[in-house]
Amino acid sequence: MNILFVCSANKIRSVTAEDHFRKTRPDHVYDSAGTNEKICRQSGTTLLSIEQAEWANVIYVMENKHFDRIKKHLSQYTKKVKVLNIKDIYEYGEKSLIHILEDRVNI
């Protein structure tokens, strides 16, 4: 299964999810991206692309605003989206973030 994780900047939440699940559940393929074009360009991180949305079997977004962005720009892929409701308050790899991801991601 191809699994895509999406947050705003592709710096903390989505990358933590991608890295964690790649290590703990290697039977799937993972990628991550952000929805905020300005921050992704400034940070050199991955901006969500049509190709990624097409590739993914499921798209886990961290917040409703990420779902809304997909709905606005990539509406044909909204059926693949699952909202995790994880706020932008964590650091990369933070144990409490990983516990929430483990609890909410259905892989």
Side-chain angles (χ1 to χ4, degrees):
M1 181 182 303
N2 296 333
I3 300 167
L4 178 62
F5 294 102
V6 177
C7 67
S8 297
N10 189 225
K11 289 169 48 175
I12 297 173
R13 294 172 289 173
S14 60
V15 176
T16 295
E18 176 187 4
D19 292 348
H20 172 72
F21 287 108
R22 182 176 285 132
K23 290 176 191 170
T24 61
R25 295 191 183 77
D27 48 327
H28 301 293
V29 181
Y30 304 94
D31 199 2
S32 64
T35 59
N36 187 312
E37 184 174 0
K38 181 179 178 183
I39 294 173
C40 286
R41 296 222 187 278
Q42 288 174 344
S43 302
T45 57
T46 303
L47 179 65
L48 178 62
S49 69
I50 292 170
E51 293 79 16
Q52 286 174 305
E54 286 176 358
W55 167 86
N57 297 108
V58 63
I59 302 170
Y60 285 104
V61 300
M62 300 299 154
E63 298 178 67
N64 282 322
K65 67 182 178 180
H66 306 125
F67 174 77
D68 293 342
R69 186 89 170 166
I70 291 171
K71 188 176 177 181
K72 181 177 180 182
H73 298 286
L74 301 167
S75 61
Q76 64 270 38
Y77 303 107
T78 57
K79 290 183 181 179
K80 297 181 178 187
V81 176
K82 296 180 186 220
V83 181
L84 297 174
N85 293 310
I86 300 175
K87 294 181 181 182
D88 190 9
I89 58 171
Y90 300 95
E91 296 296 324
Y92 172 80
E94 189 173 323
K95 288 183 182 185
S96 55
L97 172 57
I98 290 171
H99 289 301
I100 292 169
L101 288 165
E102 282 285 345
D103 186 52
R104 296 184 186 172
V105 172
N106 232 351
I107 301 174

